[in-house]
Amino acid sequence: MRGTDSADDKILSRSKETEDTRYSQAIHVTKAGMASNILLTCLKFFAGIMGNSSAMIADAAHSTSDFMTDIAVIAGLKVARKPGDSTHNYGHGKVETLSAALIGLVLIIVAFGIFWGGLQKVIAFFQGEVLPVPGRIALVAAVLSIVIKEWLYRYTMIYARKLRSDALTANAWHHRSDAFSSIGTMIGIGSAILLGGRWVVLDPVAAIILSFFIFKVAFDISYKNLNELLEASLDSATYKNIEETLMSIDGVLGFHELKTRKIGNAMAADVHIEVDRNLNIVDAHEISVQVEDRLKEVCGKNGYFSIHVEPCSDPEYSEYEGKNKKTGTLLKQDVPFKLYVTLL
């Protein structure tokens, strides 16, 4: 038993080190984005004022929201990395989910702001108002913003996928939303400078179009993470994979009450498994350990799994057409007499 306890301690220690490394990398990536956002915000405000470009000043305000979002992400990740305690037995992983959901909501507000600002300019233009022609410094700032923000999107997304971080994914799309808004700004400013006259209206028109793309991304991010906060089940592919894994384990005759959810970046599952009623408690426990180990292979070693063991009730089963009498669901066929799997 001491050897087993020591091995378990080492696994837990390695798991904690992996999680610490994950959060440290995520925070490092976000800090790099925050530094870039500070520089871009200052550059855009300067270019907007010096270049007489209201579009660039609005773009600078968008970059300010990016900076504020970076602060929220870092704060969320630092809280999420804290281990479980007496009041949070499953850790603080959902703070990361909450942070991602808030970023999505901020993006929705940003998208609406860009849409409304562009719409007001279009209306004013058709009412006869002359929109100002921006200076070339505003165009240069827009191009730089597109290049830097697209690079930040790709850089952040690489680590978001590597670390499986919803907060980083949301922040990466926030970077790209800023690049999109800068594209609209660049088109408007470029058209005004190169074509002049009435072509200035392309600036707010492009902004309105791009606001819909930003809103779509924001809605997807918010919906996904708010769903997780409301204890939504895992996706159907993962759920089916868990079912197939349970069916493949020797000694598991059936299972029911399978419930799944996410806790931060970790997966969690609760399930009742049925075993031979004649097994002693030690053998039944060994089967439950095998179930937990296999689920960790499917869902990740940082997952949370609760396995309840029940004796198999023979009267519930029948060999007739390989189906369960009560539910009519398919049963496992490749096991000895009366060893079946029930899917509820």
Side-chain angles (χ1 to χ4, degrees):
M1 290 297 292
R2 288 181 180 175
T4 303
D5 291 341
S6 178
D8 289 341
D9 289 342
K10 288 181 180 178
I11 292 174
L12 288 173
S13 178
R14 283 198 296 270
S15 177
K16 185 177 184 302
E17 289 176 3
T18 301
E19 280 298 286
D20 286 342
T21 301
R22 172 183 176 273
Y23 285 117
S24 295
Q25 289 182 332
I27 291 172
H28 175 76
V29 171
T30 307
K31 284 182 177 179
M34 184 171 67
S36 299
N37 283 327
I38 292 173
L39 290 174
L40 274 177
T41 299
C42 295
L43 173 64
K44 288 179 180 180
F45 272 122
F46 176 78
I49 295 170
M50 298 299 294
N52 193 32
S53 172
S54 58
M56 181 52 65
I57 293 175
D59 208 14
H62 187 186
S63 292
T64 303
S65 73
D66 285 351
F67 168 66
M68 294 171 62
T69 299
D70 289 333
I71 295 176
V73 171
I74 292 173
L77 290 171
K78 285 189 174 182
V79 174
R81 74 188 298 176
K82 292 172 61 178
D85 53 35
S86 59
T87 56
H88 299 85
N89 300 145
Y90 290 95
H92 300 77
K94 285 205 171 181
V95 175
E96 183 178 352
T97 306
L98 177 62
S99 177
L102 290 175
I103 292 171
L105 294 175
V106 169
L107 277 173
I108 290 175
I109 295 172
V110 168
F112 180 77
I114 292 173
F115 169 81
W116 184 247
L119 182 62
Q120 285 182 315
K121 288 182 179 179
V122 170
I123 293 173
F125 176 81
F126 284 106
Q127 288 178 342
E129 182 177 326
V130 178
L131 300 180
V133 178
R136 292 181 182 274
I137 187 173
L139 179 62
V140 173
V143 173
L144 282 175
S145 176
I146 294 168
V147 173
I148 294 173
K149 296 301 287 189
E150 180 63 19
W151 176 82
L152 279 174
Y153 163 78
R154 294 174 184 271
Y155 173 69
T156 305
M157 189 59 79
I158 288 172
Y159 280 93
R161 290 167 179 157
K162 176 183 175 182
L163 304 175
R164 294 185 302 166
S165 172
D166 290 334
L168 281 185
T169 300
N171 208 27
W173 277 106
H174 204 166
H175 289 316
R176 177 159 275 189
S177 77
D178 204 5
F180 283 164
S181 67
S182 293
I183 289 174
T185 303
M186 181 189 70
I187 292 173
I189 294 172
S191 299
I193 293 173
L194 297 177
L195 302 176
R198 300 181 64 83
W199 289 103
V200 175
V201 76
L202 285 178
D203 180 5
V205 169
I208 290 173
I209 294 172
L210 290 170
S211 70
F212 286 102
F213 290 97
I214 297 172
F215 178 80
K216 174 62 169 60
V217 171
F219 178 81
D220 290 343
I221 291 171
S222 297
Y223 179 80
K224 175 180 180 295
N225 288 282
L226 287 174
N227 230 7
E228 286 184 14
L229 289 174
L230 295 173
E231 299 292 329
S233 301
L234 297 177
D235 62 274
S236 57
T238 304
Y239 192 92
K240 184 178 180 181
N241 199 5
I242 291 174
E243 286 185 328
E244 292 174 349
T245 299
L246 291 170
M247 292 172 64
S248 69
I249 299 172
D250 292 335
V252 176
L253 311 184
F255 67 88
H256 55 274
E257 296 294 328
L258 175 58
K259 300 174 183 177
T260 63
R261 65 193 189 282
K262 279 195 74 178
I263 303 175
N265 75 312
M267 298 183 190
D270 303 331
V271 65
H272 292 208
I273 62 170
E274 299 175 4
V275 301
D276 188 339
R277 64 190 307 111
N278 296 314
L279 290 177
N280 61 47
I281 190 170
V282 174
D283 291 334
H285 173 69
E286 283 299 319
I287 293 174
S288 72
V289 171
Q290 290 180 37
V291 170
E292 184 174 0
D293 289 342
R294 291 291 301 278
L295 288 178
K296 285 183 177 180
E297 292 176 6
V298 174
C299 301
K301 295 188 180 296
N302 63 334
Y304 300 93
F305 308 103
S306 176
I307 296 95
H308 178 74
V309 180
E310 296 181 359
C312 181
S313 179
D314 283 349
E316 294 184 7
Y317 301 93
S318 168
E319 294 183 58
Y320 178 69
E321 292 185 355
K323 292 187 177 181
N324 180 286
K325 281 183 179 180
K326 289 186 175 181
T327 65
T329 52
L330 294 176
L331 303 173
K332 192 173 181 178
Q333 302 294 320
D334 58 347
V335 292
F337 177 69
K338 286 187 177 179
L339 301 188
Y340 307 109
V341 168
T342 307
L343 300 180
L344 296 180

